[in-house]
């Protein structure tokens, strides 16, 4: 049985309904809305140790991921809101391989124009960027973009490079947790877009495991996580788009449209408090 067939029998993790069997054109209606995450996730005094399946490599220091709840309450102002939105990730965030140059980020931003928000967006996707690179650079690169904005939003999407460079799952999930914790502690709204499948069955098994770990990190913190792996692993058009791409690793126009659809229909408007 193929990986695609197996994925059809498993429910999505994080936020995400089953994806339609054919590429869906965006309509003029509002995005489907899912219940917002809990406003006050539990705060535990002691750190939660990593589980057995998150063991680190020999020579790597233990990684203990704490439960976390942001100290400042994230609030949304009345009237027209001045929103600065920063997208941080790797090549898929950058839209590499899209002949239209939009990627999923450009398509999502185009569908986020709303009379209640004055939106300024920045794509900080860097090809080959690992979660460790994001930990190092996100604040330094994002803070200047947020200067003068009254509402700060951060969209994260990375992880495949962690697998390709041999990073342990414990370290990868800890890096994501650290970015989320630092951002939410500073009063920044965070949204996470999950990993996408490849044409390689063995790589897909590792991607799926990391995607599930990322969903768990987000769930513990009340942060929306969009599962892109399972809906797309069983989607013929996604796989055909990868197969037709020059590097057989990045999608083209249709594939990026699929990612954008998943983002827009899985908690995006609720996260932005748009009605």
């Amino acid at each position: 049985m193929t990986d695609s067939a197996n994925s059809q029998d498993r429910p999505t993790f994080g936020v995400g309904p089953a994806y339609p069997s054919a590429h869906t054109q965006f309509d003029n209606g509002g995005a489907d809305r899912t219940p917002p995450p809990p406003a006050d996730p539990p705060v535990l005094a002691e750190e939660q140790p990593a589980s057995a399946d998150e063991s680190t490599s020999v020579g790597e220091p233990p990684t203990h991921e704490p439960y976390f709840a942001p100290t400042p309450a994230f609030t949304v102002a009345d009237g027209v809101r001045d929103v600065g939105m920063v997208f941080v990730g790797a090549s898929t965030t950058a839209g590499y391989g899209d002949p239209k140059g939009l990627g999923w980020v450009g398509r999502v931003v185009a569908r986020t124009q709303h009379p209640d928000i004055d939106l300024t967006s920045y794509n900080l996707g860097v090809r080959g960027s690992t979660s460790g690179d994001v930990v190092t650079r996100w604040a330094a690169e994002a803070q200047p973009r947020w200067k003068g904005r009254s509402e700060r939003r951060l969209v994260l999407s990375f992880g495949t490079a962690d697998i390709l460079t041999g990073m342990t799952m414990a370290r990868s999930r800890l890096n994501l947790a650290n970015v989320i914790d630092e951002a939410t502690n500073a009063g920044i709204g965070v949204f996470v877009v999950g990993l996408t499948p490849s044409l390689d069955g063995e790589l897909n098994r590792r991607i799926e495991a990391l995607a599930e770990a990322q969903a768990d990190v987000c769930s513990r913190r009340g942060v929306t996580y969009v599962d892109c792996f399972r809906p797309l692993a069983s989607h013929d058009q996604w796989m055909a788009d990868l197969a037709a791409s020059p590097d057989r690793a990045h999608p083209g126009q249709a594939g990026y449209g699929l990612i954008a659809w998943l983002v827009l229909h899985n908690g995006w408007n609720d996260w932005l408090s748009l009605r």
Side-chain angles (χ1 to χ4, degrees), residues 7 15 45 50 71 74 79 82 101-102 106 112 114 149 182 187 197 201 204-205 212 217 249 252 261 266 268 271-272:
S7 66
V15 176
T71 49
F74 184 81
D82 186 3
L102 294 172
T112 309
H114 192 279
R149 307 282 71 77
E182 290 173 17
N204 278 349
R205 281 185 279 277
E212 189 168 13
V217 169
W261 191 97
N266 289 283
W268 184 255
W271 179 61
L272 288 171

Side-chain angles (χ1 to χ4, degrees), residues 209-269:
L210 181 55
E212 189 168 13
Q214 290 183 340
D216 181 61
V217 169
C218 294
S219 176
R220 295 186 185 200
R221 288 157 175 78
V223 169
T224 301
Y225 176 88
V226 178
D227 174 21
C228 293
F229 179 84
R230 292 185 180 178
L232 295 180
S234 58
H235 198 285
D236 292 341
Q237 190 166 12
W238 171 264
M239 291 303 177
D241 213 35
L242 287 184
S245 69
D247 65 0
R248 294 176 60 85
H250 294 85
Q253 180 179 343
Y256 280 114
L258 297 178
I259 299 173
W261 191 97
L262 287 170
V263 172
L264 290 166
H265 288 76
N266 289 283
W268 184 255
N269 278 6

Side-chain angles (χ1 to χ4, degrees), residues 115-261:
D116 290 344
I117 60 173
D118 180 10
L119 177 65
T120 306
S121 64
Y122 300 92
N123 189 332
L124 303 183
V126 176
R127 287 184 66 184
S129 193
T130 66
S131 62
D133 296 328
V134 172
V135 168
T136 301
R137 70 182 177 89
W138 80 269
E141 295 182 10
Q143 291 296 350
R145 275 84 179 178
W146 283 321
K147 185 176 181 180
R149 307 282 71 77
S150 60
E151 185 174 323
R152 298 172 295 170
R153 299 277 183 166
L154 177 65
V155 183
L156 303 170
S157 184
F158 50 80
T160 301
D162 291 2
I163 297 171
L164 297 177
T165 57
M167 185 181 296
T168 64
M169 184 179 296
R171 175 59 64 186
S172 181
R173 67 174 289 153
L174 181 66
N175 287 339
L176 174 62
N178 284 340
V179 175
I180 294 174
D181 292 353
E182 290 173 17
T184 52
N185 196 41
I188 298 164
V190 181
F191 188 97
V192 180
V193 178
L195 303 171
T196 56
S198 72
L199 295 172
D200 185 303
E202 177 58 32
L203 178 58
N204 278 349
R205 281 185 279 277
R206 298 164 68 190
I207 291 174
E208 183 176 21
L210 181 55
E212 189 168 13
Q214 290 183 340
D216 181 61
V217 169
C218 294
S219 176
R220 295 186 185 200
R221 288 157 175 78
V223 169
T224 301
Y225 176 88
V226 178
D227 174 21
C228 293
F229 179 84
R230 292 185 180 178
L232 295 180
S234 58
H235 198 285
D236 292 341
Q237 190 166 12
W238 171 264
M239 291 303 177
D241 213 35
L242 287 184
S245 69
D247 65 0
R248 294 176 60 85
H250 294 85
Q253 180 179 343
Y256 280 114
L258 297 178
I259 299 173
W261 191 97

Side-chain angles (χ1 to χ4, degrees), residues 66-135:
Y67 279 95
F68 176 84
T71 49
F74 184 81
T75 58
V76 174
D78 294 329
V80 178
R81 296 145 50 198
D82 186 3
V83 179
M85 185 179 296
V86 175
F87 296 80
V88 180
S91 55
T92 305
T93 302
Y96 176 72
D98 182 3
K100 284 190 173 293
L102 294 172
W104 66 264
V105 171
R107 289 171 170 83
V108 167
V109 170
R111 299 296 296 180
T112 309
Q113 304 307 312
H114 192 279
D116 290 344
I117 60 173
D118 180 10
L119 177 65
T120 306
S121 64
Y122 300 92
N123 189 332
L124 303 183
V126 176
R127 287 184 66 184
S129 193
T130 66
S131 62
D133 296 328
V134 172
V135 168

Side-chain angles (χ1 to χ4, degrees), residues 55-62 166 168:
S55 58
T56 57
S57 298
V58 175
E60 184 174 349
T168 64

